[in-house]
Amino acid sequence: MFEELANNRVMVTGATGLIGQTLVNRLLSLNCKVVAVVRSIDKAKDLFGDGEEIAYIVSDVTELEVKEYEIDYIIHAASNTSSKVFINNPVGVINTAIDGTRRTLEIARLSNVKEIGRASCRERV
């Protein structure tokens, strides 16, 4: 599956999360140019460095600028994973999931990506 992404430009939302980290590292091993959407640039640079093969967009997925990006694929891995937040603010969690996905899909449309993938969180909402 990942081999078809080799040598392409891939945006990964939630890049510093558990699933996102694994995806970014795999994509980098396939010579992909990665556009990592992160909330913490320090955490991202600690994880992935600051090479020419990776670019960072510092933004919460719910505030991600909807515009055309130079990307071929998107993997949408951003998700709230805090059980405490799920319990205390379930409507907020759902709104975050909906708005983040809506923005990601709109970016996919504007950027004319070949495909978008969605990684699931570990909990049910």
Side-chain angles (χ1 to χ4, degrees):
M1 175 185 144
F2 282 100
E3 285 68 29
E4 71 184 61
L5 301 177
N7 302 307
N8 280 285
R9 297 163 300 190
V10 183
M11 175 183 278
V12 179
T13 66
T16 59
L18 180 64
I19 295 171
Q21 288 179 43
T22 303
L23 291 169
V24 169
N25 285 321
R26 179 68 174 126
L27 293 168
L28 291 173
S29 76
L30 293 169
N31 296 316
C32 291
K33 301 291 185 191
V34 175
V35 177
V37 180
V38 301
R39 289 183 293 171
S40 170
I41 190 67
D42 293 332
K43 181 178 180 181
K45 287 184 177 183
D46 284 346
L47 290 168
F48 311 120
D50 200 17
E52 64 182 47
E53 70 283 351
I54 190 160
Y56 299 106
I57 298 172
V58 181
S59 177
D60 187 282
V61 71
T62 63
E63 299 170 355
L64 184 58
E65 184 178 1
V66 175
K67 66 175 193 173
E68 181 180 359
Y69 292 88
E70 290 188 34
I71 53 176
D72 302 304
Y73 295 90
I74 297 176
I75 301 175
H76 181 37
S79 181
N80 193 320
T81 59
S82 169
S83 296
K84 184 177 181 180
V85 174
F86 285 8
I87 292 166
N88 293 333
N89 188 10
V91 173
V93 170
I94 292 168
N95 286 338
T96 296
I98 291 168
D99 194 41
T101 301
R102 181 191 59 77
R103 286 176 179 271
T104 304
L105 289 169
E106 188 64 16
I107 289 167
R109 184 185 68 78
L110 292 171
S111 303
N112 198 32
V113 299
K114 297 173 185 173
E115 194 168 342
I116 181 170
R118 170 75 173 113
S120 298
C121 65
R122 65 183 177 149
E123 307 249 5
R124 290 184 187 198
V125 178

